[in-house]
Amino acid sequence: MAKTLPYATQSIELDDIDAVVRTLKSRWLTTGPVVQEFESRVASFLKADFSVAVSNGTAALHSIMAALDLQEGDEVIVPTLTFVSTANAVVFVGGTPVFADVNGDTLLIDPDDVQKKVGPRTRAVVAMDYGGQPADYAELRKICEVHELVLIGDSCHAFGADYRDEKIGTVADLTAFSFHPTKPITTGEGGLVATNRRTYANFVQRFRNHGITSTHQEREKQGQTSYEMNELGYNYRITDIQCALGISQLTKTEAWIRRRQEIANVYSQEFLDTDGIEPLSSKIDRSHAYHLYVIKLTSDRLSANRDNIIRQLRESGVGANVHYPPVHLQPFYVRLLGGGQGRCPIAESEVKRIISIPMYSSLSQSDQAKVIQQIKKIVARYC
């Protein structure tokens, strides 16, 4: 079997390794000055007033939901085409996720369906930046302003993306990022909450540290030995080791995203007029971070289903995946909320024909050519 190209992978260079080694030789391995430096640099990069780093993207989403102080029965509208943690974070704090459908051309949350799903208990709307393309924040903001809702960005795919010349991280009230190895930059595991509201930032700082109002480093500087826990929190701290890697990676973010965009442009040109394949639409008023590159099979022209084509791609050495099974169809949510098929018909239909194909900044031209060749060859068999 041929060596398989992954659908996504991290880029680690010598300066990244050196940065981590320097931190390993330092006094602080966690809750130290490198965490603060990473947060400061990310805030500057995003042009956000505050950023708080946490242990992963799910912790970022959980922290955001906790900051809203949701009460039992409060609802948060989330897209169904996302990773399960977007909805799980609502459930973690006692809220109820309400699933919205997506637009078929972009797979981004559909503002018209969001409007239909707003009810008397709705407290917030989550805009998930699918694949790295920002959602339609302007339309979602209008809905949120009319109904006095909090607008949340699940931007775990979209670090470094822009919406109408503003960095993602500032266009929502609170924004969650992930630095998992498959994302545009990585800290190994890791996440971050960005906001322009001090009260939200202060809450997340406490929430990531068991609800305690000060860090060990702060107490040492002040000569204090005691601390106060005013609310229930979690151990969602990120380490200095991870943040050292993040600082090094941050300097390459824009170059790596430009490379991802170049790769995406080649894919889009190659597949634009290919029978049996459609690229997703990219909106001209936003800059795409391309965590994922997703193609859609035109199922009405093909005699094979998506899963069969994925199997053949993998056998030919092309890593392929599906992002994501609709969350409202997951057994847990069917049991929790009832319903199932028919609740979000566009997502239910589109998921049957989407494939994530290799996308990472170190993907070579020759490897990309192999991906394109194999996809065209395999799909052509069934046209």
Side-chain angles (χ1 to χ4, degrees):
M1 182 181 292
K3 179 182 178 182
T4 299
L5 297 170
Y7 85 88
T9 190
Q10 68 274 13
S11 294
I12 302 293
E13 299 176 345
L14 184 58
D15 58 341
D16 300 319
I17 296 169
D18 290 342
V20 170
V21 170
R22 284 195 301 272
T23 302
L24 285 169
K25 293 178 178 179
S26 73
R27 178 186 173 196
W28 293 95
L29 297 187
T30 191
T31 66
V34 180
V35 174
Q36 296 171 3
E37 182 182 355
F38 179 60
E39 291 172 333
S40 176
R41 292 193 182 207
V42 171
S44 178
F45 175 80
L46 300 175
K47 296 182 172 59
D49 290 342
F50 306 99
S51 74
V52 184
V54 291
S55 53
N56 52 61
T58 300
L61 289 164
H62 186 188
S63 300
I64 286 172
M65 294 303 166
L68 301 186
D69 192 27
L70 298 179
Q71 305 301 307
E72 186 175 353
D74 285 347
E75 296 176 347
V76 176
I77 298 174
V78 303
T80 189
L81 208 61
T82 184
F83 187 54
V84 292
S85 60
T86 311
N88 292 353
V90 180
V91 179
F92 289 164
V93 298
T96 300
V98 174
F99 292 103
D101 212 340
V102 297
N103 286 313
D105 61 338
T106 61
L107 304 185
L108 296 168
I109 190 169
D110 179 3
D112 290 339
D113 199 46
V114 170
Q115 179 64 66
K116 294 174 186 176
K117 301 286 172 71
V118 174
R121 296 303 301 270
T122 307
R123 291 284 311 281
V125 174
V126 179
M128 193 274 197
D129 302 326
Y130 180 83
Q133 179 167 212
D136 194 344
Y137 282 93
E139 290 302 311
L140 295 170
R141 176 62 74 185
K142 290 177 185 176
I143 296 169
C144 289
E145 287 179 349
V146 168
H147 298 283
E148 298 183 342
L149 309 176
V150 179
L151 179 57
I152 297 163
D154 178 348
S155 302
C156 290
H157 290 189
F159 187 79
D162 296 346
Y163 180 80
R164 297 184 178 179
D165 298 323
E166 290 186 81
K167 272 281 182 284
I168 291 300
T170 61
V171 293
D173 299 309
L174 292 132
T175 303
F177 293 106
S178 167
F179 303 121
H180 184 271
T182 60
K183 302 299 167 47
I185 68 168
T186 188
T187 58
E189 284 279 3
L192 184 133
V193 176
T195 182
N196 287 338
R197 294 264 306 265
R198 182 181 295 275
T199 52
Y200 285 147
N202 288 345
F203 177 88
V204 176
Q205 287 174 336
R206 297 191 301 273
F207 191 75
R208 71 174 174 186
N209 190 33
H210 306 279
I212 294 171
T213 58
S214 61
T215 68
H216 176 80
Q217 185 185 21
E218 290 169 340
R219 292 192 296 274
E220 184 180 77
K221 284 183 179 179
Q222 297 165 4
Q224 297 177 347
T225 57
S226 62
Y227 54 82
E228 292 182 347
M229 175 188 152
N230 292 331
E231 58 218 344
L232 185 65
Y234 288 74
N235 181 359
Y236 281 162
R237 297 187 298 260
I238 193 171
T239 69
D240 287 55
I241 302 165
Q242 293 168 285
C243 288
L245 176 57
I247 290 169
S248 181
Q249 296 250 311
L250 185 61
T251 64
K252 309 166 195 177
T253 302
E254 293 180 338
W256 282 349
I257 289 177
R258 284 195 299 271
R259 175 60 187 143
R260 286 173 179 263
Q261 291 168 344
E262 290 170 359
I263 293 167
N265 288 338
V266 172
Y267 277 145
S268 296
Q269 288 300 314
E270 288 284 345
F271 296 138
L272 188 60
D273 297 316
T274 300
D275 285 344
I277 300 173
E278 294 177 352
L280 295 184
S281 295
S282 295
K283 300 302 182 180
I284 61 173
D285 62 347
R286 57 204 82 170
S287 171
H288 202 313
Y290 283 108
H291 160 54
L292 302 173
Y293 190 91
V294 177
I295 59 172
K296 294 196 295 183
L297 303 175
T298 52
S299 54
D300 56 331
R301 301 184 201 171
L302 297 178
S303 59
N305 64 29
R306 189 271 320 276
D307 291 345
N308 186 17
I309 289 175
I310 286 179
R311 177 182 59 77
Q312 292 181 60
L313 284 171
R314 290 175 173 174
E315 288 174 353
S316 73
V318 175
N321 214 325
V322 176
H323 297 89
Y324 297 92
V327 183
H328 75 282
L329 297 181
Q330 293 289 351
F332 172 82
Y333 284 105
V334 173
R335 293 195 304 271
L336 180 71
L337 304 175
Q341 290 286 345
R343 179 172 290 179
C344 297
I346 294 176
E348 292 168 20
S349 174
E350 295 298 318
V351 75
K352 296 174 184 176
R353 60 193 192 109
I354 59 174
I355 303 175
S356 299
I357 63 175
M359 168 56 76
Y360 43 94
S361 59
S362 59
L363 183 67
S364 69
Q365 290 181 342
S366 60
D367 283 342
Q368 185 177 19
K370 172 186 174 181
V371 172
I372 293 165
Q373 178 188 39
Q374 291 299 326
I375 290 173
K376 286 185 174 183
K377 182 173 73 173
I378 291 167
V379 171
R381 294 173 187 164
Y382 303 102
C383 287

